[in-house]
C-alpha cells in the first residue's frame, strides 16, 4: 500500500479535532512511555502539551544523544536555477514574481563549487525551481558531473521525477533527495498551488517513495508551517516519515519544518508559528521517531538555532546563499532571506563550544560503488 493510500484513511479535519481535544492526562500518559503511538503523538502535538516542554526537552535530548551522539551534520545548498513554471502562492520563485531569473552555466557551477568546497562543506544540496523543460535531468546530470569530485554527498531538491529518472540521477552520483509536501491537506494544497505541475498532490506525495525505491541513501520530507493548521500537518508529516522508515529501512529519513514568518507579497499565511510552537513540534517528532533526522536551516536565526542544538536537531545548514550564483555574487533572485548569516567556520565554532561535533563529512560515494 502506498503512502497516498495510507493518507486517504484519515480525514484532515477529524485529526485536527482529535489533536485539539487532547487533555493534560493524555499528555502525561504519553510522557510516561518510552515508545509512543499515534494517539500519544497527537497528544504531544496538542496545545495541552505546551506546559510540559521542559520535560519533553530533557527526554528528547537524552534520546538524540543515545541515537546520534553529540553531532550535527553540516551541509549547504547550492541553487542552480530559480526559473520556475509553477505559481505557488507562498514562494519567491513563483513564475509571476519579477526577480532576476538565472540558470547557472558550467563555468558558474564550477565557481560556486570551488567557493563552497573552500568553505569546508562536503555535503551539498542542489536546489532548483521546477522547470523540467529548462532545468531537466540532462542539466542536473551535467551539474553533478562537474561538482561530484568536490563533495562526498550530493542531494537534490528539485521537481518530482519518475522512478526511472531518480534511478538515472542515482547512477550518476546523487545519493539523496529532499521533497517537501508543503501541506498534507489536499484542499489547501490545491488552493496554494493554483497552476503548474506542482498542483498534482499525489505525484508529489509519491516522490520520496519513488526516490527510496531508486536507492537514495537519504530522503528529506517537510511541510511549510503556517500554510495550514500546523499541528495537524505535523501529525501527517510524522506518519509519512514513519511509513518510509518502515518500508525503506536502508534509507535514512529526515524532516524539516520551515515556517512562514510573515506574508510574502500578497500571500497571507493561515497562521504565524512562534518559537514555542516550533520547539514543541521538534521535540514531539523526536519523541515519536527516535531515529529520525531533524533538520533546521539558516531560515531560522543564529540565536534560535543555538538554542535548538540540544533539543533533537541532527542536521543544520551553514553559510547558505539562496539565490543561484549567490556564493560568488549576491543578487535579488533569492528564494528566502537567510536569518543565520554566520560563516561555516563561525557556525562550527559555536557547535564545538556547546560540546557537539560539527560533522562536515559522514559519507563518501565510494561506499556505494566501491571504486
Ligand atoms: S515552491 Fe518550488 S515549485 Fe513552487 S514556485 Fe517555489 S520553486 Fe517553484
Amino acid at each position: 500500500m502506498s503512502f497516498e493510500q495510507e493518507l486517504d484513511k484519515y480525514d484532515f479535519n477529524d485529526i485536527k479535532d482529535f489533536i485539539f481535544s487532547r487533555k493534560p492526562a493524555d499528555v502525561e500518559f504519553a510522557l510516561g512511555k518510552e515508545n509512543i503511538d499515534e494517539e500519544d503523538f497527537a497528544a504531544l502535538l496538542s496545545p495541552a502539551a505546551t506546559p510540559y516542554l521542559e520535560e519533553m526537552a530533557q527526554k528528547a535530548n537524552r534520546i538524540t544523544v543515545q541515537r546520534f551522539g553529540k553531532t550535527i551534520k553540516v551541509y549547504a545548498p547550492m541553487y542552480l536555477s530559480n526559473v520556475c513554471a509553477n505559481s505557488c502562492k507562498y514562494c519567491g520563485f513563483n513564475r509571476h514574481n519579477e526577480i532576476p531569473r538565472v540558470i547557472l552555466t558550467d563555468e558558474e557551477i564550477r565557481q560556486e563549487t570551488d567557493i563552497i568546497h573552500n568553505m569546508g562543506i562536503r555535503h551539498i544540496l542542489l536546489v532548483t525551481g521546477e522547470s523540467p523543460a529548462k532545468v531537466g535531468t540532462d542539466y542536473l546530470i551535467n551539474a553533478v558531473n562537474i561538482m561530484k569530485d568536490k563533495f562526498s554527498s550530493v542531494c537534490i531538491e528539485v521537481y518530482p521525477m519518475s522512478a526511472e529518472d531518480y534511478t538515472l540521477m542515482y547512477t550518476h552520483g546523487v545519493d539523496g533527495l529532499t521533497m517537501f509536501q508543503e501541506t498534507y491537506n489536499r484542499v489547501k494544497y490545491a488552493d496554494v498551488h493554483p497552476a503548474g505541475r506542482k498542483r498534482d498532490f499525489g505525484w508529489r506525495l509519491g516522490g520520496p517513495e519513488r526516490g527510496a525505491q531508486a536507492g537514495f541513501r537519504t530522503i528529506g520530507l517537510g511541510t511549510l508551517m503556517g500554510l495550514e493548521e500546523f499541528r495537524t500537518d505535523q501529525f501527517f508529516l510524522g506518519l509519512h516519515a514513519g511509513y518510509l522508515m518502515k518500508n525503506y529501512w536502508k534509507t535514512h529519513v529526515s524532516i524539516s519544518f520551515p515556517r512562514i514568518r510573515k506574508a510574502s507579497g500578497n500571500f497571507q499565511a493561515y497562521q504565524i508559528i512562534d518559537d514555542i510552537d516550533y520547539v514543541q513540534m521538534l521535540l514531539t517528532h523526536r519523541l515519536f521517531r527516535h531515529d529520525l533526522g531533524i533538520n533546521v536551516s539558516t531560515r531560522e536565526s543564529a540565536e534560535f538555532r543555538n538554542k535548538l542544538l540540544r533539543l533533537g536537531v541532527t542536521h543544520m545548514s551553514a553559510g547558505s546563499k539562496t539565490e543561484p550564483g549567490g556564493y560568488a555574487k549576491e543578487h535579488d533572485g533569492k528564494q528566502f532571506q537567510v536569518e543565520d548569516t554566520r560563516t561555516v567556520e563561525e557556525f562550527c565554532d559555536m557547535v564545538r563550544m556547546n560540546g557537539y561535533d560539527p560533522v562536515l563529512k559522514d559519507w563518501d560515494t565510494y561506499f556505494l560503488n566501491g571504486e
Side-chain angles (χ1 to χ4, degrees):
M1 185 180 283
S2 70
F3 181 66
E4 184 168 14
Q5 289 166 317
E6 290 278 347
L7 186 66
D8 284 344
K9 291 185 197 162
Y10 299 83
D11 178 86
F12 194 92
N13 289 320
D14 286 350
I15 294 297
K16 180 172 153 186
D17 291 344
F18 183 76
I19 290 172
F20 279 84
S21 71
R22 297 301 83 197
K23 300 278 186 292
D26 301 312
V27 175
E28 287 168 18
F29 180 72
L31 285 174
K33 296 164 77 175
E34 188 61 16
N35 293 298
I36 64 173
D37 62 19
E38 278 177 29
E39 285 196 17
D40 303 320
F41 182 46
L44 297 183
L45 290 171
S46 77
T50 309
Y52 297 85
L53 286 191
E54 181 56 40
E55 191 178 337
M56 290 168 69
Q58 285 178 16
K59 234 177 148 175
N61 174 265
R62 176 177 56 76
I63 293 167
T64 310
V65 172
Q66 269 174 2
R67 300 297 172 126
F68 295 90
K70 290 186 162 188
T71 62
I72 297 291
K73 179 172 162 178
V74 184
Y75 72 97
M78 185 198 295
Y79 281 70
L80 294 172
S81 163
N82 59 5
V83 173
C84 191
N86 290 334
S87 317
C88 312
K89 290 182 180 175
Y90 49 83
C91 178
F93 287 175
N94 179 325
R95 68 176 174 177
H96 301 296
N97 286 354
E98 290 190 12
I99 58 168
R101 300 289 176 173
V102 177
I103 300 174
L104 296 190
T105 62
D106 289 3
E107 189 44 43
E108 288 167 333
I109 294 170
R110 273 186 209 100
Q111 203 176 6
E112 295 286 281
T113 296
D114 288 343
I115 296 170
I116 299 170
H117 184 266
N118 288 338
M119 286 159 46
I121 293 290
R122 298 295 181 268
H123 304 129
I124 193 81
L125 175 65
L126 302 183
V127 187
T128 68
E130 293 198 12
S131 178
K134 292 184 179 159
V135 183
T137 50
D138 289 348
Y139 176 90
L140 291 166
I141 289 167
N142 178 55
V144 171
N145 284 335
I146 290 172
M147 70 183 61
K148 68 181 176 190
D149 289 345
K150 293 276 175 87
F151 299 110
S152 60
S153 167
V154 179
C155 299
I156 50 171
E157 185 174 353
V158 299
Y159 58 92
M161 293 180 184
S162 64
E164 293 74 29
D165 282 349
Y166 280 139
T167 302
L168 193 62
M169 300 305 295
Y170 177 74
T171 53
H172 281 85
V174 174
D175 63 285
L177 165 70
T178 293
M179 175 76 55
F180 292 176
Q181 190 62 27
E182 319 296 9
T183 175
Y184 289 88
N185 182 339
R186 286 178 185 270
V187 177
K188 177 55 65 72
Y189 187 92
D191 176 44
V192 296
H193 302 109
R197 288 188 71 182
K198 193 164 174 180
R199 198 168 160 71
D200 188 338
F201 180 93
W203 178 243
R204 189 170 190 87
L205 192 68
E209 195 161 358
R210 294 192 296 278
Q213 286 162 357
F216 286 133
R217 190 178 62 86
T218 62
I219 299 280
L221 307 175
T223 62
L224 183 55
M225 281 212 289
L227 272 187
E228 237 308 336
E229 198 293 303
F230 70 95
R231 298 173 198 273
T232 317
D233 257 341
Q234 294 306 308
F235 177 86
F236 289 109
L237 177 61
L239 294 196
H240 196 178
Y243 173 87
L244 292 173
M245 292 166 88
K246 183 172 160 205
N247 289 288
Y248 302 97
W249 59 271
K250 288 185 180 171
T251 299
H252 187 251
V253 179
S254 65
I255 58 163
S256 306
F257 24 92
R259 53 180 163 168
I260 303 173
R261 287 171 175 277
K262 51 186 183 295
S264 157
N266 293 325
F267 182 70
Q268 292 298 319
Y270 174 85
Q271 60 192 153
I272 299 297
I273 316 304
D274 67 24
D275 287 357
I276 291 180
D277 294 333
Y278 190 100
V279 167
Q280 185 184 345
M281 299 303 103
L282 194 159
L283 298 174
T284 304
H285 279 292
R286 170 57 65 234
L287 300 186
F288 188 40
R289 304 284 183 208
H290 296 187
D291 294 318
L292 183 67
I294 297 183
N295 186 339
V296 178
S297 79
T298 53
R299 196 188 269 254
E300 298 297 335
S301 71
E303 190 187 13
F304 188 52
R305 294 213 308 161
N306 294 357
K307 288 182 184 152
L308 295 180
L309 199 64
R310 295 168 192 278
L311 300 182
V313 181
T314 55
H315 300 48
M316 284 189 175
S317 52
S320 307
K321 305 292 178 195
T322 64
E323 69 274 45
Y327 291 95
K329 190 173 189 301
E330 288 193 42
H331 58 81
D332 291 339
K334 294 180 174 56
Q335 188 179 35
F336 60 87
Q337 202 64 40
V338 166
E339 295 290 329
D340 184 348
T341 56
R342 288 175 292 191
T343 64
V344 173
E345 201 179 336
E346 288 166 343
F347 174 77
C348 290
D349 283 347
M350 177 281 293
V351 173
R352 286 189 201 96
M353 273 170 50
N354 281 279
Y356 279 65
D357 284 329
V359 178
L360 289 157
K361 176 175 175 177
D362 76 343
W363 173 254
D364 197 292
T365 43
Y366 174 85
F367 297 139
L368 275 183
N369 53 32
E371 290 166 6

